[in-house]
Amino acid sequence: MRSHKHIAIAGAGLVGSLLAIYLAKRGYRVSVFERRTDMRKVTADRGRSINLALSNRGLRALEEVGLADEIRRVAIPMHGRTMHSVSGNLSFQPYGKQGQFINSISRSNLNVVLMNKAESLGVQFYFEKRVASVDFEKTALHFQSPDDTPMMFDAIIGADGGFSAVRGAMQVTDRFNYSQHYIEHGYKELTIPPAEDGFQLEKNSLHIWPRESYMLIALPNIDGSFTCTLFFPFEGKLSFDTLRTPDEVRSFFQQQFPDACQLMPTLVDDFCNNPTASLVTVKCFPWVKNKILLMGDAAHAIVPFFGQGMNAGFEDCRVLNHLLDKNADQLENTFAAFQTERKQHTDAIAQLALDNFIEMRDLVGDEKFLLRKKIEAKLHELYPEKWIPLYSMVTFYEDTGYADALSTGQRQKQIMDEVMQTPDIKTNWPSLDFEKIVSKL
Amino acid sequence: MRSHKHIAIAGAGLVGSLLAIYLAKRGYRVSVFERRTDMRKVTADRGRSINLALSNRGLRALEEVGLADEIRRVAIPMHGRTMHSVSGNLSFQPYGKQGQFINSISRSNLNVVLMNKAESLGVQFYFEKRVASVDFEKTALHFQSPDDTPMMFDAIIGADGGFSAVRGAMQVTDRFNYSQHYIEHGYKELTIPPAEDGFQLEKNSLHIWPRESYMLIALPNIDGSFTCTLFFPFEGKLSFDTLRTPDEVRSFFQQQFPDACQLMPTLVDDFCNNPTASLVTVKCFPWVKNKILLMGDAAHAIVPFFGQGMNAGFEDCRVLNHLLDKNADQLENTFAAFQTERKQHTDAIAQLALDNFIEMRDLVGDEKFLLRKKIEAKLHELYPEKWIPLYSMVTFYEDTGYADALSTGQRQKQIMDEVMQTPDIKTNWPSLDFEKIVSKL
């Protein structure tokens, strides 16, 4: 036991729970405060839990705490994107090389594994405890309940998500830079139920119905169902605002997503009753005030289009753990080093996630774009160490920081913009001077 | 009386009070809620009130409500900048043409005039009433006091400043874009007292001690004193962080601002006891939710370096009044039109204000920059309708929107960057082909 310090974590979500494990393993006394009820005690909601894409960065962090194998057993590998055209044609684009894939995982399953593990290490969870305010001088939390006395700690970590109460308290202190920016699209979750004998779509794919200004996607669940998400504008001619009646919904889906539509018996019901949720990017700085630190979505909420929100949060935990090693568990130095090291990377993934929405909803349906991807895959095959496509750097190369992936990706884009100007590139691309292309990097 | 609608204004500052006048004149019932005490009942603080630069946009709004002449009588015209070098050399740069000037005005004097006028028109002011929350469905305000019952209105306008409570309530509603960004400099107010026979520095100037990475400025007050403001980094080698002891302060001022220093008998006292304040830019959108609207700093707080914060807020009032005319006092249409029309301009002045800090603290001490200004003044003299320098557009041309000033200014900058490349420009500039330069615009 290196330390008897007591650390409070606000938020028992994915990042808060994994962080609790890391800290408990280091010998800290850890208390986690969660405003919701204990999800392990709530009746499961008929297998329609939201799923997430777990990739290398997240897995690496899970590996470090010895949970990767357990999680892999309940994950579904997705080896690439299956694009669905309006006429029902399918095309497949692998995410990386043979053996590289991302994993569809149930958020609640993963969260429960993490909480159970944390508890087994002595972490104390407090549910239905909503942070009301933070005392930055006394390193204390006040809770929303008249009879609650404030609790003091050696440090507090706000891992309480995109609408963090700890960050809210920080926001009204002086010189706290902050932004929240919503995109013009919202999303709605829909369902493709399992067939009697398994999955109704190819199981090991992330399915996309790209329609330029909007898209439908589907990720597999272990019960054989798919959770579909429609990303769609809030306002405008074709939007959540204008698509209101059951008839309008049905006819829109029949026109735009005919193959998906026929697999969705509860479409109209789901559409009319499920909430329409918004998508926000949150940036702030500093992440540290005195002995209080923000992590995960509380520090850097991003849009979901690169499948990196959770992965970035898990990487936060791994980086913090590494910096605790490096700083001999001196918390204030560690927190300072953490924000300095990490901010550039989370800013980068915020940008990459916004950019990838355009790629997913529009470009993946574009022939020229697919050719570009094919050429990049060839470059990667020929020069596996030198030319790594952006998607791969972000998803499969966890030793490459997001900021480095972003800047290399920008250089690659410039080079590929030029390459794509080659006359008759569509037919001539196999005879490109690949070595010369790579040498421009 | 066109209307018996009841409008609540949060904030009895400059914008809230002027807005109350505008609305009362239109026949609205107006209630203003201010969290501070009534400044008219507090003992005046020895003439050291903060002063502001009132220019054409603000004056135009005051004119429309019949207050411009009264305000002009207590304003001190400032015809240009007087730059003070370290060695005490003075140089003067006029703000515009003969007869164009900005006005140093006491914030509290101006505020009192506005409140008195509003009250004379039947506006009801409530002091020490702090907005605790806003009910966006019922258009109601809740106040911070256990026995206060909420009050309902036909509309609520948040004119409650850079740390607006109304905006705070809006910020936690869905899809509200928001950013607050602090610059790395803070400021501290200091004083040059009056001489027995008047002003110790040239009265009709804004004084600047530009020192590249920081600056001191001074604006005249009607009692003969000057309010000085040091804009200085919070952190770093030379910063508020490192300048702490009386000796350090005195020796820094003696080295950097010797001529000002000898006029400041209370320098060390002021420096050590006055607060160090921060400087923030706030942007948000939408400004409207249901029947609740944000205006002034609550919607768009900016840094003070273009002297436009108050002027932009007063212009808000004038634009809103104009749109009420245009929309026959239909409030929801007016509010929607207001944010659509106004956002581009307040974004532009936010940018211009940040840019002008660099000009004031650094460039005004630069010979090449002063030559550039001289050439632009010549262009303006020769083609008074075609080439209007950026500072003039913003300050003296109230019919030009801030966004238009910004974009024209950017074109002018490109043209002038080229002009300044002319060989021997320092001596040859009078023989430039001015007509050709103007034609590039």
Side-chain angles (χ1 to χ4, degrees), chain A residues 270-285:
Chain A
D270 289 349
F271 195 96
C272 296
N273 296 317
N274 288 352
T276 307
S278 55
L279 294 158
V280 69
T281 302
V282 171
K283 293 184 183 179
C284 64
F285 207 78

Side-chain angles (χ1 to χ4, degrees), chain A residues 174 176-178 180 182 278, chain B residues 174 176-178 180 182 278:
Chain A
D174 197 27
F176 183 73
N177 292 327
Y178 176 73
Q180 59 184 41
Y182 289 84
S278 55
Chain B
D174 197 26
F176 183 74
N177 291 326
Y178 176 74
Q180 59 184 40
Y182 289 84
S278 56

Side-chain angles (χ1 to χ4, degrees), chain A residues 32-77:
Chain A
V32 180
F33 301 92
E34 168 59 49
R35 67 182 176 84
R36 295 188 186 84
T37 51
D38 188 345
M39 61 163 70
R40 295 167 296 184
K41 290 177 184 162
V42 178
T43 324
D45 58 353
R46 26 179 202 132
R48 285 172 58 198
S49 58
I50 306 166
N51 42 29
L52 296 162
L54 175 65
S55 53
N56 287 36
R57 290 171 204 269
L59 277 165
R60 165 78 84 89
L62 293 172
E63 240 148 40
E64 283 193 0
V65 298
L67 286 175
D69 287 338
E70 179 174 354
I71 297 301
R72 276 198 192 94
R73 279 195 290 274
V74 289
I76 301 176

